[in-house]
Amino acid sequence: MNHGQIRNLAVLALASSVVLVSTYFLKIPTPTGYIHLGDGVIYATALAFGPALGGVSGALGSAMADLLGGYAAWAPWTLVIKGMAGFLAGKLGHGKSGKLRLAALVGAAVWTIAGYAIGTAVLYSPGAVLAESLGNVFQTGSGVLIGLYLGPVLGNALGKTRE
């Protein structure tokens, strides 16, 4: 393993851990799950380090939070939804500026809201989708704000890595 690979692995482990902590410990329960601040960490990681690190850390950290927090039925859904959200945010926003970063995070947020709406319809009922979606709008909206401001700080603090 070369220096760059070791650095990427270390950043991945740190980012996944911070996603886990910000999701697991900073949450507000809802009837179908919970609202948390982990999306902001996923988006910031994706903007700072790109789609691979954003996607994998989002998938691993978020799914682990579901497993550890008693929401195991959601873990497979979360693995795919948050992994793809991190990938999209990184693919569309990494290395971009201003409005393009915002558009990338809004796209990732819309993906997240849609993914959890489908998951809610399958795991609970179509009638529960509106309540779940309202919580996800709040969660992803705060995540967009956190990601926009934390992403550049994170990238500068740790030094940008190559994909």
Side-chain angles (χ1 to χ4, degrees):
M1 228 184 231
N2 66 37
H3 181 267
Q5 291 170 320
I6 292 170
R7 182 181 175 93
N8 279 349
L9 186 59
V11 170
L12 174 61
L14 284 169
S16 298
S17 298
V18 175
V19 170
L20 168 62
V21 168
S22 62
T23 302
Y24 183 77
F25 289 106
L26 305 172
K27 65 184 172 190
I28 301 167
T30 67
T32 58
Y34 55 96
I35 298 170
H36 57 81
L37 297 176
D39 288 8
V41 177
I42 295 167
Y43 298 159
T45 300
L47 290 179
F49 301 107
L53 289 173
V56 174
S57 66
L60 293 178
S62 299
M64 285 300 299
D66 280 351
L67 289 171
L68 294 172
Y71 295 92
W74 279 106
W77 290 89
T78 294
L79 186 78
V80 172
I81 294 166
K82 298 298 181 155
M84 183 56 74
F87 178 82
L88 287 171
K91 187 71 175 171
L92 301 174
H94 176 64
K96 307 293 191 305
S97 62
K99 291 180 182 177
L100 292 176
R101 282 181 170 224
L102 175 61
L105 298 189
V106 168
V110 168
W111 161 263
T112 300
I113 294 164
Y116 280 109
I118 294 167
T120 298
V122 170
L123 293 175
Y124 293 96
S125 78
V129 168
L130 180 60
E132 174 71 15
S133 295
L134 291 175
N136 281 321
V137 167
F138 174 78
Q139 176 179 298
T140 59
S142 63
V144 166
L145 294 175
I146 292 167
L148 281 175
Y149 292 101
L150 182 61
V153 172
L154 183 62
N156 290 334
L158 296 178
K160 296 188 179 179
T161 59
R162 284 184 270 165
E163 290 293 312

